[in-house]
């Protein structure tokens, strides 16, 4: 029972991290219509930014604050240089170009940081564990990570559902032409969405660095799981991505302990079950 | 009447398919123009060209004295051109209130004369449904919202493509009555619609397109009186 509780904690924390990565992917897919295979590379960018900036500042949170604007600028530059040319092209061309970006990013990572795995220390003031029950304790950094991810998720949902820029993003998802007809330059809206998605994925990579090692291709598994989350939640739905990521996180964590032989298939079984009931995902529109 | 919008020599279409062949089209200040033609004659293509969604080819478009031929759709909207498109373009995942407030901006004169309150005065039904999502509205309510939303941009020129298509007679009457109020408020209007009696009742001038060319450009009442031409060009 205590093991299950620990795994649920781990699953929620992992799910919230995946939500940060997947929310950017679902916005880019849902609003820009671009299948971005390089999204996992932005997670990797965050992990390596955390490595470098933590070594410079000595604090992962300070590193994350410094890394976020770098990730925004990086995302805006990638959108301007490459992605904006894909909006009117078919998905095959999008996949080809963003796959090429993965190869370029991976090679650049090897040149800049090498091929060895690295670890990023959690801040000393969050080291150790907190006792939950008599025999049950949980790492403080993981709890803090859960709280930060939850706060970011709430802030994002507030922006999307309660602000004018959020309404504009939702409008862009349903009808780009109409957004233009109302006087909004969709080029800037798309750049903003892409840069924000990049920053969210990078933030997940940065915050996760102390609980995972930083290694080449660290974003590739995140990319696959993020796509699963997007499909489960419904393309373009932040609310769907939130619930989908939590479900995936908990299913993955519990599966590893209670169904170890089946663990690697858990998330895909969950996706298949959701699609069988709701082909458009939890909050998506059925095709 | 001084020209608010002046388009000359418009050649436009979709890829290799050319629809418009040298169209000249003008709208005066505070003028209401009925744009007429059978299906497929180029009315929608002309409206989409005027708002910048389709390239004007070798043609030129001036709005309020400025050359907007190469201006983006968004820039033309900010300059005061509004389109209520065929299909209405309601954002289904935004509430009625959000559809309206998202569009709100001051007009070219710097004044926000059309507000949410004024839109609700114009269409009280929308006030009742302000919290409903866009896709929870009936066709008539969606058209009201689409017109109200266009007005929230405080345009100098309001263009409507198939203004009352598919709407119940009572709703159609409400839309025409509203357009008369909008015209009285000083907004120039271009209307595409199949209800000729209502259209002739509203429009100062009529322009008829046949196979992508202008075959008539004159007083709406003159066209209305010419039954033979109306029958030949419009099939009614």
């Amino acid at each position: 029972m205590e093991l299950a509780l620990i795994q649920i904690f781990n699953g929620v924390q992992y799910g919230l991290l995946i939500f940060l990565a997947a929310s950017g992917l679902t916005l880019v897919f849902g609003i820009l219509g671009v299948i971005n295979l390089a999204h996992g590379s932005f997670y990797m960018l965050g992990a390596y930014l955390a490595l470098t900036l933590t070594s410079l500042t000595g604090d992962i949170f300070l590193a994350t604050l410094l890394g976020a604007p770098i990730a925004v600028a990086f995302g805006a530059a990638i959108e301007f240089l490459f992605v904006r040319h894909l909006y009117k092209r078919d998905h095959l061309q999008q996949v080809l170009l963003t796959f090429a970006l993965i190869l370029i990013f991976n090679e650049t990572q090897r040149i800049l940081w090498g091929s060895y795995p690295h670890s990023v220390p959690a801040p000393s003031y969050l080291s150790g564990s907190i006792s939950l029950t008599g025999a049950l304790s949980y790492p403080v950094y993981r709890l803090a990570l859960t709280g930060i991810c939850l706060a970011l998720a709430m802030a994002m949902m507030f922006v999307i559902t309660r602000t004018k820029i959020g309404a504009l993003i939702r409008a862009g998802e349903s009808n780009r032409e109409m957004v233009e007809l109302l006087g909004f330059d969709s080029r800037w809206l798309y750049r903003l969405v892409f840069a924000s998605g990049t920053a969210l994925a990078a933030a997940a990579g940065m915050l996760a660095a102390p609980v995972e090692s930083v290694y080449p291709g660290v974003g590739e598994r995140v990319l696959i799981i993020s796509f699963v989350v997007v499909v489960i939640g419904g393309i373009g739905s932040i609310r769907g991505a939130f619930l989908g990521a939590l479900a995936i996180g908990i299913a993955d964590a519990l599966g590893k302990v209670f169904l170890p032989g089946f663990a690697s298939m858990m998330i895909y079984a969950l996706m298949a079950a959701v699609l069988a009931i709701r082909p458009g995902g939890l909050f998506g529109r059925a095709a | 009447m001084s020209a608010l919008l002046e388009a000359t020599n418009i050649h436009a279409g979709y890829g290799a398919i050319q629809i418009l062949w040298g169209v000249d089209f003008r709208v005066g200040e505070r003028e209401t123009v009925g744009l007429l033609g059978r299906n497929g004659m180029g009315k929608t293509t002309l409206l989409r060209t005027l708002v910048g969604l389709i390239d004007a080819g070798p043609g030129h478009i001036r709005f309020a004295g400025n050359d907007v031929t190469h201006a983006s759709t968004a820039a033309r909207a900010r300059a005061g051109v509004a389109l209520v498109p065929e299909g209405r373009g309601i954002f289904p995942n935004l509430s009625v209130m959000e559809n309206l407030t998202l569009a709100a901006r001051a007009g070219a004169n710097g004044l926000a004369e059309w507000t949410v309150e004024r839109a609700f005065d114009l269409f009280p039904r929308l006030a009742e449904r302000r919290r409903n999502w866009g896709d929870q509205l009936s066709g008539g309510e969606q058209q009201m919202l689409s017109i109200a939303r266009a007005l929230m941009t405080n345009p100098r020129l309001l263009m409507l493509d198939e203004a009352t298509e598919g709407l119940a007679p009572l709703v159609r009457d409400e839309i025409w009555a509203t357009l008369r109020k909008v015209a009285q408020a000083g907004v120039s209007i271009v209307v595409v619609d199949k209800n000729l009696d209502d259209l002739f009742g509203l429009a100062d001038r009529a322009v008829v397109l046949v196979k992508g060319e202008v075959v008539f450009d004159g007083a709406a009442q003159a066209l209305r009186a010419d039954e033979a031409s109306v029958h030949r060009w419009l099939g009614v």
Side-chain angles (χ1 to χ4, degrees), chain A residues 7-8 10-16 18-19 22 221-222 224-233 240-256 263-272 274 282:
Chain A
Q7 284 307 93
I8 288 172
N10 280 335
V12 169
Q13 175 247 297
Y14 181 56
L16 287 169
I18 290 297
F19 167 70
R221 178 173 153 75
V222 172
I224 294 168
I225 294 177
S226 295
F227 266 116
V228 172
V229 166
V230 170
V231 170
I232 288 177
F242 183 75
L243 292 178
L246 280 181
I248 287 289
I250 293 169
D252 184 62
L254 290 178
K256 278 176 181 161
S264 60
M265 286 180 63
M266 280 292 285
I267 61 171
Y268 305 106
L270 183 63
M271 178 174 73
V274 170
L282 293 175

Side-chain angles (χ1 to χ4, degrees), chain A residues 170 177-178 181-184, chain B residues 48 78 89 93 98 105:
Chain A
R170 282 182 285 139
E177 199 171 276
M178 200 64 232
L181 285 168
L182 294 180
F184 297 101
Chain B
R48 290 174 67 81
R78 289 194 296 271
N93 51 349
E98 285 176 325
R105 66 170 69 246

Side-chain angles (χ1 to χ4, degrees), chain A residues 6 44 80 82 105 125 137 144 158 161 169 180 247-248:
Chain A
I6 286 280
M44 180 179 75
F80 179 77
F82 303 107
F105 292 148
Y125 51 86
S137 62
F158 177 81
T161 59
I169 287 171
E180 291 269 347
I248 287 289

